[in-house]
Amino acid sequence: MKIDLNSDMGEGFGPYRLCDDEAMMKLVSSANIACGFHGGDPDTMGRMVRLAKLNGVGIGAHPGLPDRLGFGRREIAFSADELRQQMLYQLGALMAIAKAEGVTVSHISFHAAMGNMVNRDPVLAELMTDAIATVDAGLVVFVTHGSEIQQAARRARLKTLALFLADRAYDVGGNLVARGLAGAVIKDEASVRARVRQFLLEGTVETIDGAVIAMPARSILVHSDTPGALELAGIVRGEIEATGAALAPAAELAD
């Protein structure tokens, strides 16, 4: 089995960094690069693109809401068209930077609140995916299985890749548990290792309430801002290799 390991990267600003991006880039097969709104800046974006090129890592845009102080995790009442323009602005910026470095953007992964909004709103999801398809019909859209964005992307004839979040808890409906709740972010190594092994071998995950649900995904996400993210990514990669699976970038696995 082939599996993608991805991480949200370049989410610092100027001299401030959330993660050792250089080390993380050696572990993942796909990088979701912040595009300057919730995190990142032109210099950081360029550095991430060059690092991805050097390490043979797939390059993805990671657009978010224009809210640095809230790290893009607070929902803001923008209109659907405003959100569309914000996404296009960020995607276009990364595509230009990547082209100047002789590489291309292969996928898009929505960040935090923007992702929550497109996951549940069918009108917004359709507006976003139609815009993505117009810009580049070859882009892969990272999705949550069963979400509105997954369905809209398929209607727009875009390829998708479903995500499993190794460091986040799920409820029985397959939804992420809100970050403010106890146990929503999984930090200890043993728990992450067990969750990844269960996902790889059985295609399931244990929910925060102890139930077991199916997890039909082909890509594992480790958030770079989770405490100990680099160590967690190493654990995830180790489990992937231990089960005999091979790493592959999103573009090779999407359907």
Side-chain angles (χ1 to χ4, degrees), residues 5-221:
L5 174 57
N6 73 92
S7 184
D8 304 335
M9 304 184 68
E11 292 184 308
F13 180 74
Y16 304 103
R17 301 186 185 184
L18 290 180
C19 176
D20 185 343
D21 292 307
E22 288 79 3
M24 183 69 84
M25 200 72 80
K26 296 180 184 299
L27 295 172
V28 300
S29 49
S30 296
N32 315 317
I33 299 174
C35 299
F37 274 35
H38 75 279
D41 57 69
D43 287 343
T44 302
M45 292 164 69
R47 182 167 59 88
M48 292 300 100
V49 166
R50 289 189 288 270
L51 278 173
K53 180 181 179 180
L54 179 66
N55 289 280
V57 170
I59 296 169
H62 192 46
L65 297 184
D67 179 22
R68 286 194 187 279
L69 290 178
F71 197 58
R73 290 193 173 131
R74 301 181 294 193
E75 291 198 12
I76 302 173
F78 292 110
S79 71
D81 190 62
E82 286 174 322
L83 290 166
R84 175 183 181 273
Q85 305 308 334
Q86 291 171 13
M87 179 276 293
L88 287 171
Y89 185 98
Q90 295 174 79
L91 174 59
L94 186 65
M95 291 177 76
I97 289 172
K99 186 174 183 178
E101 296 294 334
V103 290
T104 59
V105 175
S106 61
H107 68 274
I108 182 167
S109 177
F110 292 97
H111 174 73
M114 182 179 280
N116 292 337
M117 295 161 85
V118 298
N119 276 343
R120 68 169 185 260
D121 186 333
V123 174
L124 177 59
E126 186 155 0
L127 197 66
M128 290 290 208
T129 52
D130 285 349
I132 292 168
T134 299
V135 172
D136 184 352
L139 285 173
V140 175
V141 182
F142 279 8
V143 300
T144 299
H145 178 71
S147 64
E148 293 292 343
I149 190 69
Q150 183 182 46
Q151 298 175 52
R154 288 175 175 171
R155 288 193 295 270
R157 300 180 183 272
L158 292 167
K159 291 183 177 181
T160 63
L161 190 65
L163 294 171
F164 166 58
L165 279 62
D167 54 1
R168 291 293 308 280
Y170 289 86
D171 63 22
V172 292
N175 304 303
L176 292 175
V177 174
R179 280 182 173 268
L181 299 177
V185 180
I186 300 164
K187 305 173 184 178
D188 67 284
E189 297 182 5
S191 295
V192 171
R193 189 183 300 278
R195 285 165 55 83
V196 171
R197 187 176 304 157
Q198 179 178 342
F199 164 71
L200 291 171
L201 296 178
E202 303 173 17
T204 63
V205 63
E206 183 175 335
T207 71
I208 196 167
D209 297 319
V212 176
I213 61 172
M215 183 53 61
R218 295 293 303 279
S219 184
I220 303 175
L221 168 64

